[in-house]
Coordinates of all heavy atoms in Angstrom, one line a residue:
Chain A
G423 N 119.5 -3.1 41.6 CA 119.8 -3.8 42.9 C 118.7 -4.7 43.4 O 118.7 -5.1 44.6
R424 N 117.7 -5.0 42.6 CA 116.6 -5.9 42.9 C 116.1 -5.5 44.3 O 116.2 -6.2 45.3 CB 117.1 -7.3 42.9 CG 117.6 -7.8 41.6 CD 117.8 -9.3 41.6 NE 116.5 -10.0 41.6 CZ 116.3 -11.1 42.2 NH1 117.4 -11.8 42.8 NH2 115.2 -11.8 42.1
P425 N 115.4 -4.3 44.4 CA 114.9 -3.9 45.7 C 113.8 -4.9 46.1 O 113.1 -5.4 45.3 CB 114.2 -2.5 45.3 CG 114.1 -2.5 43.9 CD 115.1 -3.3 43.3
P426 N 113.7 -5.1 47.5 CA 112.7 -6.1 48.0 C 111.3 -5.5 47.9 O 111.0 -4.4 48.2 CB 113.1 -6.3 49.4 CG 113.9 -5.0 49.8 CD 114.5 -4.5 48.5
I427 N 110.4 -6.5 47.6 CA 108.9 -6.1 47.5 C 108.2 -7.2 48.2 O 108.5 -8.4 48.0 CB 108.5 -5.9 46.1 CG1 109.1 -4.6 45.5 CG2 106.9 -5.8 46.0 CD1 108.8 -4.3 44.1
H428 N 107.1 -6.9 48.9 CA 106.4 -7.9 49.6 C 104.9 -7.7 49.2 O 104.3 -6.7 49.4 CB 106.5 -7.7 51.1 CG 106.1 -8.8 51.9 ND1 106.4 -9.0 53.3 CD2 105.3 -9.9 51.6 CE1 105.9 -10.1 53.7 NE2 105.2 -10.7 52.7
V429 N 104.3 -8.8 48.6 CA 102.9 -8.7 48.3 C 102.2 -9.8 49.2 O 102.5 -10.9 49.2 CB 102.7 -9.1 46.8 CG1 101.2 -9.0 46.5 CG2 103.5 -8.2 45.9
R430 N 101.2 -9.2 50.0 CA 100.5 -10.1 50.9 C 99.0 -10.1 50.6 O 98.4 -9.0 50.7 CB 100.9 -9.7 52.3 CG 100.3 -10.6 53.4 CD 100.8 -10.1 54.7 NE 102.3 -10.4 54.9 CZ 102.7 -11.5 55.5 NH1 102.0 -12.4 55.9 NH2 104.0 -11.7 55.6
Y431 N 98.5 -11.2 50.3 CA 97.0 -11.3 50.1 C 96.4 -11.7 51.4 O 96.9 -12.6 52.2 CB 96.7 -12.4 49.1 CG 97.1 -12.0 47.7 CD1 98.4 -12.3 47.2 CD2 96.2 -11.4 46.8 CE1 98.8 -11.9 45.9 CE2 96.6 -11.1 45.5 CZ 97.9 -11.3 45.1 OH 98.3 -11.0 43.8
G432 N 95.3 -11.0 51.8 CA 94.6 -11.3 53.1 C 93.3 -12.0 52.8 O 92.8 -12.2 51.7
R433 N 92.7 -12.4 54.0 CA 91.5 -13.1 54.0 C 90.4 -12.2 53.4 O 90.4 -11.0 53.6 CB 91.0 -13.5 55.4 CG 92.0 -14.5 56.1 CD 91.4 -15.9 56.2 NE 92.4 -16.9 56.0 CZ 92.3 -17.8 55.1 NH1 91.4 -17.9 54.1 NH2 93.3 -18.7 55.0
P434 N 89.6 -12.8 52.5 CA 88.5 -12.0 52.0 C 87.6 -11.3 53.0 O 87.3 -11.9 54.0 CB 87.8 -12.9 51.1 CG 88.2 -14.3 51.5 CD 89.5 -14.2 52.1
V435 N 87.2 -10.1 52.7 CA 86.3 -9.3 53.5 C 84.9 -9.4 52.8 O 84.8 -8.9 51.7 CB 86.8 -7.9 53.6 CG1 85.8 -7.0 54.5 CG2 88.2 -7.8 54.2
R436 N 84.0 -10.0 53.5 CA 82.7 -10.2 52.8 C 81.7 -9.1 53.4 O 81.7 -8.8 54.6 CB 82.2 -11.6 53.1 CG 83.0 -12.7 52.5 CD 82.5 -14.1 52.8 NE 83.5 -15.1 52.4 CZ 83.6 -15.5 51.2 NH1 82.8 -15.1 50.2 NH2 84.6 -16.4 50.9
P437 N 80.8 -8.6 52.5 CA 79.8 -7.7 53.0 C 78.9 -8.3 54.0 O 78.5 -9.5 53.7 CB 79.1 -7.2 51.7 CG 79.9 -7.7 50.6 CD 80.8 -8.8 51.1
L438 N 78.6 -7.6 55.1 CA 77.7 -8.2 56.1 C 76.2 -7.8 55.8 O 76.0 -6.8 55.1 CB 78.1 -7.8 57.5 CG 79.5 -8.1 57.9 CD1 79.9 -7.5 59.2 CD2 79.7 -9.7 57.9
E439 N 75.3 -8.6 56.3 CA 74.0 -8.2 56.2 C 73.6 -6.8 56.8 O 74.1 -6.6 57.9 CB 73.1 -9.3 56.9 CG 71.6 -9.3 56.7 CD 71.3 -9.8 55.3 OE1 72.0 -10.7 54.8 OE2 70.3 -9.3 54.7
G440 N 73.1 -6.0 56.0 CA 72.7 -4.7 56.5 C 73.9 -3.7 56.7 O 73.7 -2.6 57.1
E441 N 75.0 -4.1 56.3 CA 76.2 -3.2 56.4 C 76.2 -2.2 55.3 O 76.0 -2.5 54.2 CB 77.5 -4.1 56.3 CG 78.8 -3.3 56.6 CD 80.0 -4.2 56.4 OE1 80.0 -5.1 55.6 OE2 81.0 -3.9 57.1
N442 N 76.5 -0.9 55.7 CA 76.6 0.1 54.6 C 77.9 0.1 54.0 O 78.9 -0.4 54.5 CB 76.1 1.5 55.1 CG 77.0 2.1 56.2 OD1 78.2 1.7 56.1 ND2 76.5 2.9 57.0
T443 N 78.0 0.9 52.9 CA 79.2 0.9 52.1 C 80.4 1.5 52.9 O 81.5 1.0 52.8 CB 79.0 1.8 50.8 OG1 77.9 1.2 50.1 CG2 80.2 1.9 49.9
L444 N 80.1 2.5 53.7 CA 81.3 3.2 54.4 C 81.9 2.3 55.4 O 83.0 2.2 55.6 CB 80.7 4.5 55.0 CG 80.6 5.6 54.1 CD1 80.1 6.9 54.9 CD2 81.9 6.0 53.4
A445 N 80.9 1.5 56.1 CA 81.4 0.5 57.0 C 82.3 -0.6 56.4 O 83.4 -0.9 56.9 CB 80.3 -0.1 57.8
L446 N 81.8 -1.1 55.2 CA 82.6 -2.1 54.5 C 83.9 -1.5 54.0 O 85.0 -2.2 54.2 CB 81.8 -2.6 53.3 CG 82.5 -3.6 52.4 CD1 82.8 -4.9 53.2 CD2 81.6 -4.0 51.2
N447 N 83.9 -0.3 53.6 CA 85.1 0.4 53.1 C 86.1 0.5 54.3 O 87.3 0.3 54.2 CB 84.8 1.8 52.6 CG 85.9 2.4 51.8 OD1 86.6 1.7 51.1 ND2 86.1 3.7 52.0
G448 N 85.6 0.8 55.5 CA 86.5 0.9 56.7 C 87.1 -0.4 57.0 O 88.2 -0.5 57.4
R449 N 86.3 -1.5 56.9 CA 86.8 -2.8 57.2 C 87.9 -3.2 56.2 O 88.9 -3.8 56.6 CB 85.7 -3.9 57.2 CG 84.8 -3.7 58.4 CD 84.1 -5.0 58.7 NE 83.2 -5.4 57.7 CZ 83.1 -6.6 57.2 NH1 83.9 -7.6 57.6 NH2 82.2 -6.9 56.2
V450 N 87.7 -2.8 55.0 CA 88.7 -3.2 53.9 C 90.0 -2.4 54.2 O 91.1 -3.0 54.1 CB 88.2 -2.8 52.5 CG1 89.3 -3.0 51.5 CG2 87.0 -3.8 52.1
S451 N 89.8 -1.1 54.5 CA 91.0 -0.3 54.8 C 91.7 -0.8 56.0 O 93.0 -0.9 56.0 CB 90.5 1.1 55.1 OG 91.5 2.0 55.5
A452 N 90.9 -1.3 57.0 CA 91.7 -1.8 58.3 C 92.3 -3.1 57.9 O 93.5 -3.4 58.4 CB 90.6 -2.0 59.4
A453 N 91.8 -3.9 57.1 CA 92.4 -5.2 56.7 C 93.7 -4.9 56.0 O 94.7 -5.6 56.2 CB 91.5 -6.0 55.8
I454 N 93.8 -3.9 55.2 CA 95.0 -3.6 54.4 C 96.0 -3.0 55.4 O 97.3 -3.4 55.3 CB 94.8 -2.7 53.2 CG1 93.9 -3.5 52.2 CG2 96.1 -2.1 52.6 CD1 93.6 -2.7 51.0
S455 N 95.6 -2.2 56.3 CA 96.5 -1.7 57.3 C 97.1 -2.9 58.1 O 98.3 -2.9 58.4 CB 95.8 -0.8 58.3 OG 95.3 0.3 57.6
A456 N 96.3 -3.8 58.5 CA 96.8 -5.0 59.2 C 97.8 -5.8 58.4 O 98.8 -6.3 58.9 CB 95.6 -5.9 59.7
L457 N 97.5 -5.9 57.1 CA 98.4 -6.7 56.2 C 99.8 -6.0 56.1 O 100.8 -6.6 56.1 CB 97.8 -6.9 54.9 CG 96.7 -7.9 54.8 CD1 96.0 -7.8 53.4 CD2 97.3 -9.3 55.0
I458 N 99.7 -4.6 56.1 CA 101.0 -3.9 56.0 C 101.7 -4.1 57.3 O 103.0 -4.3 57.3 CB 100.7 -2.4 55.7 CG1 100.1 -2.2 54.3 CG2 102.0 -1.5 55.9 CD1 99.6 -0.9 54.0
D459 N 101.0 -4.0 58.4 CA 101.6 -4.3 59.7 C 102.3 -5.6 59.8 O 103.4 -5.8 60.3 CB 100.6 -4.1 60.8 CG 101.2 -4.1 62.2 OD1 102.4 -3.8 62.3 OD2 100.4 -4.4 63.1
E460 N 101.5 -6.6 59.2 CA 102.0 -8.0 59.2 C 103.3 -8.1 58.5 O 104.2 -8.8 58.9 CB 101.0 -8.9 58.6 CG 101.2 -10.4 58.7 CD 100.0 -11.2 58.1 OE1 98.9 -10.7 58.1 OE2 100.3 -12.3 57.6
A461 N 103.5 -7.3 57.4 CA 104.7 -7.3 56.6 C 105.8 -6.8 57.4 O 107.0 -7.2 57.2 CB 104.5 -6.5 55.3
D462 N 105.5 -5.8 58.3 CA 106.5 -5.2 59.1 C 106.9 -6.1 60.3 O 108.0 -6.0 60.9 CB 106.2 -3.8 59.5 CG 106.3 -2.8 58.4 OD1 106.9 -3.2 57.4 OD2 105.6 -1.8 58.5
T463 N 105.9 -6.8 60.8 CA 106.1 -7.6 62.1 C 106.0 -9.1 61.8 O 106.8 -9.6 61.1 CB 105.1 -7.2 63.2 OG1 103.7 -7.3 62.6 CG2 105.3 -5.7 63.6
D464 N 104.9 -9.7 62.2 CA 104.6 -11.1 61.9 C 103.0 -11.2 62.1 O 102.4 -10.4 62.6 CB 105.3 -12.0 62.9 CG 105.0 -11.8 64.3 OD1 103.8 -12.1 64.7 OD2 105.7 -11.1 65.0
W465 N 102.6 -12.4 61.6 CA 101.1 -12.5 61.5 C 100.4 -12.4 62.9 O 99.4 -11.7 63.1 CB 100.8 -13.9 60.9 CG 99.4 -14.3 61.1 CD1 98.3 -13.8 60.3 CD2 98.7 -15.2 62.0 NE1 97.1 -14.3 60.7 CE2 97.4 -15.1 61.8 CE3 99.3 -15.9 63.1 CZ2 96.5 -15.9 62.5 CZ3 98.4 -16.7 63.8 CH2 97.0 -16.7 63.5
Y466 N 101.1 -13.0 63.9 CA 100.4 -13.1 65.2 C 100.4 -11.6 65.9 O 99.4 -11.2 66.4 CB 101.1 -14.0 66.2 CG 100.3 -14.3 67.4 CD1 99.0 -14.9 67.3 CD2 100.8 -13.9 68.7 CE1 98.3 -15.1 68.4 CE2 100.0 -14.1 69.8 CZ 98.8 -14.7 69.7 OH 98.0 -14.9 70.8
T467 N 101.5 -10.9 65.8 CA 101.6 -9.6 66.4 C 100.6 -8.7 65.7 O 99.8 -8.0 66.3 CB 103.0 -9.0 66.2 OG1 104.0 -9.9 66.7 CG2 103.2 -7.6 66.8
A468 N 100.5 -8.8 64.4 CA 99.6 -7.9 63.6 C 98.1 -8.3 64.0 O 97.3 -7.4 64.1 CB 99.8 -8.1 62.1
A469 N 97.9 -9.6 64.2 CA 96.5 -10.1 64.5 C 96.2 -9.5 65.9 O 95.0 -9.0 66.1 CB 96.4 -11.6 64.5

Side-chain angles (χ1 to χ4, degrees):
Chain A
R424 299 189 71 213
I427 289 175
H428 195 164
V429 181
R430 182 175 291 266
Y431 290 86
R433 294 253 144 240
V435 179
R436 295 176 192 277
L438 302 174
E439 190 75 33
E441 186 183 33
N442 66 27
T443 301
L444 284 180
L446 177 60
N447 194 39
R449 285 203 296 133
V450 171
S451 175
I454 290 179
S455 294
L457 285 170
I458 293 170
D459 187 26
E460 193 179 327
D462 287 341
T463 56
D464 58 73
W465 169 75
Y466 191 64
T467 305

